[in-house]
Amino acid sequence: MLCWICSYIRVVIQSHHFSHLHTLFLSLSSIPMADQSPKPETFELSNGSMKILLTNLGCTIISLSVPGKDGVLSDVVLGLDSVESYEKGLSPYFGCIVGRVANRIKDGKFTLDGVQYSLPLNKPPNSLHGGNVGFDKRVWEVVEHKKGETPSITFKYHSQDGEEGYPGDITVTATYTLTSNTTLRLDMEGVPKDKPTIINLAQHTYWNLAGHNSGNVLDHSIQIWANNITPVDENTVPTGEIMAVKGTPFDFTSEKRIGNNISEVGLGYDHNFVLDCGEEKDGLRHVAKVRDPSSSRVLNLWTTAPGVQFYTGNYVNGVKGKGGAIYEKHAGLCLETQGFPNAINQPNFPSVVVRPGEKYRHTMLYEFSIE
């Protein structure tokens, strides 16, 4: 169609009948343009041992199946039955990537280079997980989907300057790769265009290694390689302090049953642990080891991030999940590796600012095994 339009314009200009151009443009304006925006779809990664179902809506892991001690595959992540259910907002951040900034920003305000910004208070009195329409509610473009021995999928999203109150355009990518029979790797990157901004992406999967529909995770045991946490105020925002976990219910430096001391921390765990004592390999630090006694499944998590939000599904209440499952309180646990919450307002926390010419990077490695 473009060829005849160009030819017609050339003839009109040569004949000086410019009124015809006005008629042409009016006609063109009535032609419906094809919608180029991506649509929510589902995609599978499988290598014979692990199988993952994802959607480009929020880069969400819908299901993840790994074998237990009996060799049978079980789905070990909480999720909903259909993409439409996620579109309707029925998921409490199940399986998605949250951003532009994960976790809470106090009072929804921050200052960057002398300019104050205000964000939606979608979890009053704070802004949570990027605002009303964070990255988890955006449909990402699928850049690449590879099959074979190490299948992978790469999603991309361009966030506009001013979106949900945040400054600067930034393009983000997320690549999920099955790097071995029992390993999932996630690589997240963000490249700002021409203004500084803040970014802190987190993967928000709820894990239940006994199976997503098996009840609560209080009998799971966990070890977290953190000697300290960032204590929080009454609205779950870090106070800026760094507190030693020794002698407190937050001490998971040795493997411990999750339910042992959970009643001593209010609704449950929802705290940022400072990753300061784990071993390192290939540029990643050891975050945590989770074990389910009933299936013998074990998850070891590694990351490049300085912190991890350990969350025990305290606000999950009667959520209708996959296959008729009903998820109640503590039905899953989250290990959201991240920059520290509210870091932009705490100068002693690692910075979450990224400037033009710089690149934000965040890698996570999930290793599954039987012990």
Side-chain angles (χ1 to χ4, degrees):
M1 185 172 80
L2 288 176
C3 292
W4 74 258
I5 291 173
C6 294
S7 300
Y8 183 79
I9 291 173
R10 194 179 303 116
V11 170
V12 168
I13 291 173
Q14 289 170 349
S15 63
H16 299 282
H17 291 145
F18 296 113
S19 62
H20 291 254
L21 283 178
H22 179 67
T23 304
L24 172 66
F25 292 141
L26 285 176
S27 300
L28 288 174
S29 67
S30 66
I31 298 174
M33 301 298 288
D35 184 2
Q36 300 300 312
S37 58
K39 299 288 188 290
E41 299 178 71
T42 56
F43 306 87
E44 186 178 286
L45 296 179
S46 178
N47 60 10
S49 293
M50 290 175 61
K51 187 166 73 172
I52 305 177
L53 185 67
L54 307 108
T55 174
N56 56 332
L57 176 61
C59 297
T60 300
I61 296 175
I62 297 174
S63 67
L64 189 153
S65 298
V66 291
K69 63 185 177 184
D70 54 5
V72 175
L73 286 177
S74 289
D75 182 0
V76 295
V77 303
L78 275 56
L80 307 181
D81 264 327
S82 66
V83 173
E84 290 73 27
S85 297
Y86 291 91
E87 288 184 281
K88 291 174 183 175
L90 302 179
S91 161
Y93 300 104
F94 284 161
C96 58
I97 290 179
V98 292
R100 179 177 304 196
V101 174
N103 222 299
R104 292 160 180 82
I105 293 182
K106 186 176 174 65
D107 300 327
K109 296 185 186 301
F110 68 93
T111 299
L112 179 59
D113 293 347
V115 180
Q116 187 177 84
Y117 297 92
S118 295
L119 310 172
L121 304 182
N122 59 316
K123 183 78 171 176
N126 305 305
S127 189
L128 177 69
H129 292 331
N132 293 318
V133 188
F135 290 2
D136 63 297
K137 296 175 181 66
R138 304 287 181 175
V139 181
W140 297 45
E141 176 190 353
V142 179
V143 178
E144 190 173 49
H145 186 192
K146 293 181 183 175
K147 301 191 177 179
E149 287 186 12
T150 55
S152 67
I153 189 164
T154 299
F155 301 105
K156 181 170 77 171
Y157 176 66
H158 181 77
S159 181
Q160 304 282 346
D161 181 19
E163 184 177 300
E164 293 297 305
Y166 289 96
D169 288 56
I170 189 166
T171 300
V172 290
T173 58
T175 300
Y176 292 94
T177 307
L178 296 182
T179 55
S180 80
N181 283 348
T182 54
T183 307
L184 168 66
R185 181 182 174 110
L186 171 59
D187 293 290
M188 295 173 275
E189 294 187 350
V191 179
K193 185 179 179 184
D194 51 16
K195 287 172 68 173
T197 188
I198 58 176
I199 183 168
N200 181 21
L201 304 182
Q203 217 296 339
H204 209 292
T205 290
Y206 289 69
W207 301 96
N208 188 324
L209 297 182
H212 76 97
N213 57 350
S214 63
N216 67 54
V217 294
L218 298 183
D219 283 334
H220 282 45
S221 61
I222 189 169
Q223 181 173 5
I224 304 175
W225 278 271
N227 287 317
N228 297 277
I229 63 164
T230 52
V232 295
D233 64 16
E234 67 278 8
N235 295 310
T236 327
V237 177
T239 60
E241 303 165 84
I242 305 291
M243 184 187 88
V245 298
K246 189 174 182 180
T248 76
F250 302 98
D251 189 354
F252 290 98
T253 52
S254 298
E255 190 173 323
K256 184 172 74 173
R257 180 179 172 273
I258 290 173
N260 279 7
N261 305 105
I262 198 168
S263 62
E264 300 171 40
V265 289
L267 291 173
Y269 295 100
D270 192 5
H271 299 76
N272 175 62
F273 286 69
V274 180
L275 299 173
D276 52 13
C277 59
E279 64 174 309
E280 293 197 14
K281 70 171 183 181
D282 301 327
L284 305 175
R285 57 170 63 93
H286 207 170
V287 177
K289 178 179 182 179
V290 185
R291 183 197 308 269
D292 166 49
S294 65
S295 67
S296 299
R297 288 188 188 92
V298 171
L299 168 60
N300 277 281
L301 176 61
W302 303 73
T303 191
T304 54
V308 62
Q309 190 84 4
F310 175 42
Y311 172 54
T312 48
N314 312 325
Y315 301 105
V316 177
N317 180 17
V319 178
K320 293 181 180 178
K322 295 173 285 191
I326 302 295
Y327 303 134
E328 300 293 354
K329 186 178 181 182
H330 307 319
L333 66 93
C334 299
L335 290 166
E336 307 156 55
T337 62
Q338 61 182 2
F340 295 178
N342 198 39
I344 187 61
N345 293 314
Q346 295 291 353
N348 60 314
F349 285 0
S351 175
V352 293
V353 176
V354 62
R355 300 182 179 277
E358 300 174 346
K359 181 183 283 190
Y360 165 85
R361 290 184 175 92
H362 179 186
T363 293
M364 305 176 74
L365 193 69
Y366 304 88
E367 294 180 330
F368 297 92
S369 59
I370 304 294
E371 289 184 13

